[in-house]
Short mmCIF file of all heavy atoms in Angstrom, two decimals:
data_model
loop_
_atom_site.label_atom_id
_atom_site.label_comp_id
_atom_site.label_asym_id
_atom_site.label_seq_id
_atom_site.Cartn_x
_atom_site.Cartn_y
_atom_site.Cartn_z
N HIS F 61 2.72 17.68 16.61
CA HIS F 61 3.09 19.05 16.30
C HIS F 61 4.24 19.52 17.19
O HIS F 61 5.16 20.18 16.73
CB HIS F 61 1.90 20.00 16.46
CG HIS F 61 2.30 21.44 16.40
ND1 HIS F 61 2.58 22.07 15.21
CD2 HIS F 61 2.52 22.35 17.37
CE1 HIS F 61 2.94 23.31 15.46
NE2 HIS F 61 2.90 23.51 16.77
N HIS F 62 4.18 19.13 18.45
CA HIS F 62 5.21 19.57 19.38
C HIS F 62 6.52 18.79 19.21
O HIS F 62 7.56 19.25 19.66
CB HIS F 62 4.70 19.47 20.82
CG HIS F 62 3.60 20.44 21.09
ND1 HIS F 62 3.79 21.81 21.10
CD2 HIS F 62 2.28 20.26 21.30
CE1 HIS F 62 2.64 22.42 21.33
NE2 HIS F 62 1.71 21.50 21.45
N ARG F 63 6.48 17.64 18.54
CA ARG F 63 7.69 16.87 18.27
C ARG F 63 8.26 17.17 16.89
O ARG F 63 9.35 16.74 16.56
CB ARG F 63 7.38 15.37 18.33
CG ARG F 63 7.01 14.89 19.72
CD ARG F 63 6.90 13.40 19.79
NE ARG F 63 8.16 12.80 19.35
CZ ARG F 63 8.21 11.72 18.58
NH1 ARG F 63 7.13 11.13 18.18
NH2 ARG F 63 9.38 11.22 18.22
N HIS F 64 7.52 17.92 16.08
CA HIS F 64 7.88 18.19 14.69
C HIS F 64 9.12 19.06 14.59
O HIS F 64 9.23 20.08 15.26
CB HIS F 64 6.70 18.90 14.01
CG HIS F 64 6.97 19.36 12.62
ND1 HIS F 64 7.04 18.51 11.57
CD2 HIS F 64 7.18 20.60 12.10
CE1 HIS F 64 7.29 19.20 10.46
NE2 HIS F 64 7.37 20.48 10.76
N LYS F 65 10.04 18.65 13.77
CA LYS F 65 11.23 19.45 13.48
C LYS F 65 11.05 20.06 12.09
O LYS F 65 10.81 19.36 11.12
CB LYS F 65 12.50 18.59 13.50
CG LYS F 65 12.70 17.87 14.81
CD LYS F 65 12.98 18.85 15.93
CE LYS F 65 13.28 18.12 17.20
NZ LYS F 65 12.51 18.50 18.32
N HIS F 66 11.14 21.36 12.01
CA HIS F 66 10.89 22.06 10.76
C HIS F 66 12.21 22.53 10.17
O HIS F 66 13.10 22.97 10.89
CB HIS F 66 9.98 23.26 11.04
CG HIS F 66 9.42 23.87 9.80
ND1 HIS F 66 8.37 23.32 9.12
CD2 HIS F 66 9.77 24.96 9.11
CE1 HIS F 66 8.09 24.07 8.08
NE2 HIS F 66 8.93 25.07 8.05
N PHE F 67 12.34 22.42 8.87
CA PHE F 67 13.56 22.88 8.23
C PHE F 67 13.20 23.77 7.05
O PHE F 67 12.07 23.78 6.59
CB PHE F 67 14.42 21.69 7.76
CG PHE F 67 13.75 20.84 6.72
CD1 PHE F 67 13.92 21.10 5.37
CD2 PHE F 67 12.94 19.78 7.09
CE1 PHE F 67 13.30 20.33 4.42
CE2 PHE F 67 12.32 19.00 6.13
CZ PHE F 67 12.50 19.28 4.79
N HIS F 68 14.17 24.49 6.57
CA HIS F 68 13.97 25.40 5.44
C HIS F 68 15.01 25.10 4.37
O HIS F 68 16.17 24.83 4.67
CB HIS F 68 14.14 26.86 5.89
CG HIS F 68 13.15 27.27 6.91
ND1 HIS F 68 11.90 27.71 6.58
CD2 HIS F 68 13.20 27.26 8.27
CE1 HIS F 68 11.24 27.99 7.69
NE2 HIS F 68 12.01 27.72 8.72
N LEU F 69 14.58 25.17 3.14
CA LEU F 69 15.51 25.04 2.01
C LEU F 69 15.78 26.44 1.49
O LEU F 69 14.88 27.12 1.02
CB LEU F 69 14.90 24.18 0.90
CG LEU F 69 14.63 22.72 1.25
CD1 LEU F 69 13.91 22.04 0.09
CD2 LEU F 69 15.92 22.00 1.56
N HIS F 70 17.00 26.87 1.60
CA HIS F 70 17.32 28.22 1.15
C HIS F 70 17.74 28.24 -0.31
O HIS F 70 17.44 29.17 -1.03
CB HIS F 70 18.42 28.81 2.04
CG HIS F 70 17.97 28.99 3.45
ND1 HIS F 70 17.06 29.94 3.83
CD2 HIS F 70 18.27 28.29 4.57
CE1 HIS F 70 16.83 29.86 5.12
NE2 HIS F 70 17.55 28.86 5.60
N ASN F 71 18.45 27.23 -0.75
CA ASN F 71 18.86 27.13 -2.15
C ASN F 71 18.24 25.89 -2.76
O ASN F 71 18.73 24.78 -2.58
CB ASN F 71 20.39 27.03 -2.25
CG ASN F 71 21.07 28.28 -1.72
OD1 ASN F 71 20.54 29.37 -1.89
ND2 ASN F 71 22.21 28.11 -1.09
N THR F 72 17.12 26.07 -3.44
CA THR F 72 16.45 24.92 -4.03
C THR F 72 17.13 24.55 -5.34
O THR F 72 17.37 25.41 -6.18
CB THR F 72 14.96 25.21 -4.28
OG1 THR F 72 14.85 26.37 -5.08
CG2 THR F 72 14.22 25.41 -2.97
N PRO F 73 17.44 23.26 -5.50
CA PRO F 73 18.13 22.84 -6.72
C PRO F 73 17.19 22.85 -7.93
O PRO F 73 15.98 22.69 -7.80
CB PRO F 73 18.57 21.40 -6.40
CG PRO F 73 17.63 20.95 -5.34
CD PRO F 73 17.23 22.17 -4.57
N GLU F 74 17.75 23.05 -9.09
CA GLU F 74 16.98 23.00 -10.33
C GLU F 74 16.66 21.54 -10.65
O GLU F 74 17.51 20.67 -10.49
CB GLU F 74 17.79 23.61 -11.49
CG GLU F 74 17.96 25.10 -11.39
CD GLU F 74 16.65 25.84 -11.52
OE1 GLU F 74 15.80 25.46 -12.36
OE2 GLU F 74 16.46 26.80 -10.76
N PRO F 75 15.43 21.27 -11.10
CA PRO F 75 15.10 19.88 -11.42
C PRO F 75 15.90 19.38 -12.63
O PRO F 75 16.10 20.12 -13.60
CB PRO F 75 13.60 19.92 -11.74
CG PRO F 75 13.27 21.36 -11.94
CD PRO F 75 14.32 22.17 -11.27
N SER F 76 16.37 18.14 -12.54
CA SER F 76 17.17 17.59 -13.63
C SER F 76 16.39 16.55 -14.43
O SER F 76 16.91 16.02 -15.40
CB SER F 76 18.45 16.96 -13.07
OG SER F 76 18.13 15.94 -12.15
N LEU F 77 15.15 16.26 -14.01
CA LEU F 77 14.32 15.29 -14.73
C LEU F 77 13.39 16.01 -15.70
O LEU F 77 13.05 17.18 -15.50
CB LEU F 77 13.48 14.49 -13.73
CG LEU F 77 14.23 13.57 -12.78
CD1 LEU F 77 13.27 12.99 -11.76
CD2 LEU F 77 14.92 12.46 -13.54
N PRO F 78 12.92 15.30 -16.72
CA PRO F 78 11.92 15.89 -17.62
C PRO F 78 10.62 16.20 -16.86
O PRO F 78 10.30 15.54 -15.87
CB PRO F 78 11.69 14.80 -18.67
CG PRO F 78 12.80 13.84 -18.53
CD PRO F 78 13.34 13.98 -17.15
N LYS F 79 9.90 17.17 -17.36
CA LYS F 79 8.68 17.63 -16.71
C LYS F 79 7.66 16.50 -16.50
O LYS F 79 7.05 16.41 -15.44
CB LYS F 79 8.07 18.75 -17.55
CG LYS F 79 7.02 19.55 -16.86
CD LYS F 79 6.57 20.69 -17.74
CE LYS F 79 5.75 21.69 -16.98
NZ LYS F 79 5.37 22.82 -17.80
N ASN F 80 7.48 15.62 -17.48
CA ASN F 80 6.48 14.55 -17.35
C ASN F 80 6.86 13.56 -16.25
O ASN F 80 6.01 13.02 -15.57
CB ASN F 80 6.23 13.84 -18.68
CG ASN F 80 7.47 13.16 -19.22
OD1 ASN F 80 8.60 13.44 -18.80
ND2 ASN F 80 7.26 12.27 -20.17
N LYS F 81 8.15 13.31 -16.02
CA LYS F 81 8.58 12.42 -14.95
C LYS F 81 8.37 13.08 -13.58
O LYS F 81 8.02 12.42 -12.62
CB LYS F 81 10.03 12.01 -15.13
CG LYS F 81 10.21 11.01 -16.24
CD LYS F 81 11.61 10.46 -16.25
CE LYS F 81 11.71 9.43 -17.39
NZ LYS F 81 12.96 8.70 -17.34
N ILE F 82 8.59 14.37 -13.51
CA ILE F 82 8.36 15.09 -12.26
C ILE F 82 6.87 15.05 -11.92
O ILE F 82 6.49 14.77 -10.78
CB ILE F 82 8.87 16.55 -12.35
CG1 ILE F 82 10.40 16.55 -12.47
CG2 ILE F 82 8.41 17.36 -11.16
CD1 ILE F 82 10.98 17.92 -12.76
N ILE F 83 6.03 15.31 -12.90
CA ILE F 83 4.58 15.28 -12.68
C ILE F 83 4.14 13.87 -12.29
O ILE F 83 3.35 13.69 -11.37
CB ILE F 83 3.82 15.80 -13.92
CG1 ILE F 83 4.08 17.29 -14.08
CG2 ILE F 83 2.33 15.52 -13.81
CD1 ILE F 83 3.57 17.89 -15.36
N GLY F 84 4.64 12.86 -12.97
CA GLY F 84 4.31 11.47 -12.63
C GLY F 84 4.71 11.12 -11.22
O GLY F 84 3.95 10.48 -10.47
N ALA F 85 5.89 11.54 -10.81
CA ALA F 85 6.36 11.28 -9.44
C ALA F 85 5.48 12.00 -8.42
O ALA F 85 5.16 11.44 -7.36
CB ALA F 85 7.81 11.71 -9.30
#
Side-chain angles (χ1 to χ4, degrees):
H61 169 77
H62 293 293
R63 293 188 57 221
H64 174 74
K65 303 293 184 233
H66 193 78
F67 63 91
H68 298 275
L69 295 175
H70 296 289
N71 297 325
T72 55
E74 290 294 320
S76 59
L77 294 173
K79 194 175 193 178
N80 62 343
K81 286 189 179 188
I82 293 172
I83 291 171

